[in-house]
Amino acid sequence: MTLRYILPDEILCVQADWLWDGVSDTLLSRPRLLIRQGRIAAISSCLRTRDHRSTGTFPERVAPPGTGSPRTIPAESMPVLHLPGCTLLPPLIDAHVHLGLDGRDFAASRAAWQSEEEYMTRVARHAAEWLAAGVVALRDGGDAAATALHYRQSKNPAWPLLRTTGMALRHPERYGSFLGPDWPEKKLGDLVEELAARGVDWIKILVSGVVSFTRYGQVGPLHFSQEALSALVAHARQLGRPVMAHANSPEGVKQAVRAGVATVEHGYFLDEDCLKEMAEKQTAWLPTIVPVANQVRTELSAGWPAENRRVIEKTYRRQQEMLLKAWELGVPLGLGSDAGASGVEHGRGLLQEMLYYREAGLPAVQVLRLATRGNAAILGIAGALPGVIVPGAPAALLAVQGNPLADLRCLERVKQVMLPASHV
Ligand SMILES: [Zn+2]
């Protein structure tokens, strides 16, 4: 895998076997892309050019940007990047990760939060694992040490483009002490203000508990009354921060939707009424199938007694059914792996989540759209990363070996990740 940063004054022609532009249902054959000023300047197809049906051939001469009196460069001197056997597509986005956890050793991850140097190293490693997998934007669901927020503020990396929550708001006696502090409920408005002042992009709120792997359908008690939750969400929105809500059970999801959250995370055991409300209010849903399904679909399965495996299997199969129903009902869907949760590794979780969507019955092209343009819209990052490859879009490209519309697994074979050196 090669990670290539495109400099603002660089001119480059990229040729591959196919292009999926993020919009079409099909691939363009033998694409040629001209990249200039950190953006895609033109797209043409060698095949079309040859039989004179092209609508967008490259200019014979190009003027380098920022040179005052432009000089011309002969077309033959333009550097060409050949990517034989590859498909070009928009890079991927994971809308729910925890960079401060590694998905393998929860205790070690938490112990690392005691040392800024150690957790910074871990967060940077996880971010690099995502980039190597072609996932160039992330929304972090937070942790009690706000590791991802510290990382972004001190390192200020251009990529992966990181949206942060810092830490989660929660009831002090309920689930999630590793995600957020034990602040009394009446002080949580102050925490919203403090997090906003520290520069978070989103506010994360825990609305319910977590899915049980021993008792089917159990998710723990709700954290707040409808009134209290609605007030917190309104407070966050007043400060320009949308809310991502960890919510399971029909009651938890309805409460979150009625409070006006932007995204419902997990949503295990939600019912059809919840989906109808979400479709009506256009509340996005990220079902995070991986952290549950991986328990029985990977080597982790051996660690669970048969009784637990049955509960886990039934839980994620139901989630896949509801995902398909949500898609049919027009609920805006996102994709989040919850990487960092037990059994979900950075750099791998998103493709696993995509494959579980595919298994649920969504077409591959639709899954790809959700992981690119769909997630970009949910995260509000379409300016820097629109999730489409069209003239004028930033030069953010992923090249994978094979045809991802035929088999999503070829996203494991990343050949190149190309990104503008800075956001354009
Ligand atoms: Zn999470």
Side-chain angles (χ1 to χ4, degrees), residues 96 98 204 266 338:
H96 188 144
H98 298 270
K204 168 97 175 272
H266 319 302
D338 211 3

Side-chain angles (χ1 to χ4, degrees), residues 91-93 335 350 354 366-375:
L92 308 173
I93 300 165
L335 268 147
L350 182 66
M354 293 171 78
Q366 183 61 29
V367 178
L368 279 165
R369 278 196 199 105
L370 297 179
T372 50
R373 194 167 43 137
N375 270 353

Side-chain angles (χ1 to χ4, degrees), residues 96-98 141 179 204 244 246 265-266 288 338-339 341:
H96 188 144
V97 302
H98 298 270
L179 291 169
K204 168 97 175 272
M244 71 184 281
H246 163 119
E265 313 293 313
H266 319 302
T288 63
D338 211 3

Side-chain angles (χ1 to χ4, degrees), residues 62-381:
V62 288
T67 51
S69 60
R71 67 190 168 85
T72 53
I73 297 175
E76 60 269 20
S77 71
M78 189 192 300
V80 179
L81 173 64
H82 292 279
L83 295 163
C86 285
T87 301
L88 298 171
L89 70 157
L92 308 173
I93 300 165
D94 191 328
H96 188 144
V97 302
H98 298 270
L99 290 173
L101 296 166
D102 68 10
R104 292 184 294 269
D105 189 334
F106 182 68
S109 294
R110 281 194 75 167
W113 298 350
Q114 304 301 316
S115 152
E116 185 172 326
E117 195 187 338
E118 198 180 330
Y119 75 65
M120 283 293 202
T121 305
R122 283 169 168 259
V123 169
R125 186 172 65 233
H126 298 152
E129 284 166 353
W130 282 118
L131 277 182
V135 182
V136 307
L138 305 166
R139 182 177 57 167
D140 188 88
D143 57 63
T147 59
L149 179 62
H150 288 157
Y151 169 74
R152 191 184 69 179
Q153 286 176 334
S154 64
K155 305 289 180 196
N156 197 25
W159 304 100
L161 201 162
L162 188 54
R163 288 289 175 262
T164 59
T165 58
M167 55 184 68
L169 276 61
R170 54 181 279 274
H171 189 286
E173 284 142 30
R174 306 264 155 85
Y175 165 76
S177 59
F178 69 101
L179 291 169
D182 292 342
W183 284 35
E185 189 180 318
K186 62 179 188 301
K187 288 274 188 192
L188 287 177
D190 297 345
L191 184 53
V192 173
E193 306 231 348
E194 190 180 311
L195 287 167
R198 285 170 66 181
V200 301
D201 310 284
W202 286 72
I203 295 292
K204 168 97 175 272
I205 304 183
L206 306 187
V207 172
S208 77
V210 73
V211 172
S212 168
F213 292 163
T214 53
R215 286 178 302 155
Y216 180 76
Q218 298 295 307
V219 299
L222 299 179
H223 285 232
F224 305 108
S225 66
Q226 179 72 62
E227 199 183 4
L229 181 66
S230 296
L232 285 173
V233 174
H235 196 156
R237 283 168 61 166
Q238 270 166 15
L239 296 170
R241 277 21 179 225
V243 170
M244 71 184 281
H246 163 119
N248 294 305
S249 80
E251 297 75 28
V253 171
K254 271 182 204 143
Q255 205 187 51
V257 173
R258 288 170 188 174
V261 306
T263 66
V264 168
E265 313 293 313
H266 319 302
Y268 277 84
F269 306 108
L270 54 64
D271 59 20
E272 210 164 322
D273 287 345
C274 294
L275 294 178
K276 284 176 184 159
E277 279 195 44
M278 290 161 84
E280 196 185 311
K281 292 192 77 171
Q282 288 292 287
T283 310
W285 183 30
L286 289 84
T288 63
I289 299 164
V290 197
V292 179
N294 272 11
Q295 302 302 319
V296 291
R297 297 285 292 273
T298 67
E299 67 284 353
L300 295 172
S301 179
W304 292 104
E307 200 180 313
N308 296 80
R309 286 203 296 271
R310 273 195 294 276
V311 171
I312 294 165
E313 172 97 19
K314 201 171 157 190
T315 302
Y316 87 80
R317 291 288 183 198
R318 184 187 191 279
Q319 192 77 336
Q320 286 180 310
E321 283 167 25
M322 297 313 282
L323 168 65
L324 193 59
K325 209 160 271 180
W327 184 51
E328 288 162 359
L329 287 169
V331 176
L333 293 169
L335 268 147
S337 67
D338 211 3
S342 172
V344 192
E345 291 179 24
H346 295 283
R348 296 184 63 197
L350 182 66
L351 177 56
Q352 291 172 332
E353 183 76 2
M354 293 171 78
L355 292 170
Y356 289 130
Y357 275 40
R358 184 81 193 87
E359 190 179 79
L362 270 69
V365 70
Q366 183 61 29
V367 178
L368 279 165
R369 278 196 199 105
L370 297 179
T372 50
R373 194 167 43 137
N375 270 353
I378 288 171
L379 266 52
I381 56 171

Side-chain angles (χ1 to χ4, degrees), residues 411-423:
L411 295 172
E412 278 171 355
R413 301 193 295 276
V414 173
K415 288 292 165 189
Q416 286 255 345
V417 179
M418 278 166 272
L419 293 165
S422 57
H423 299 152

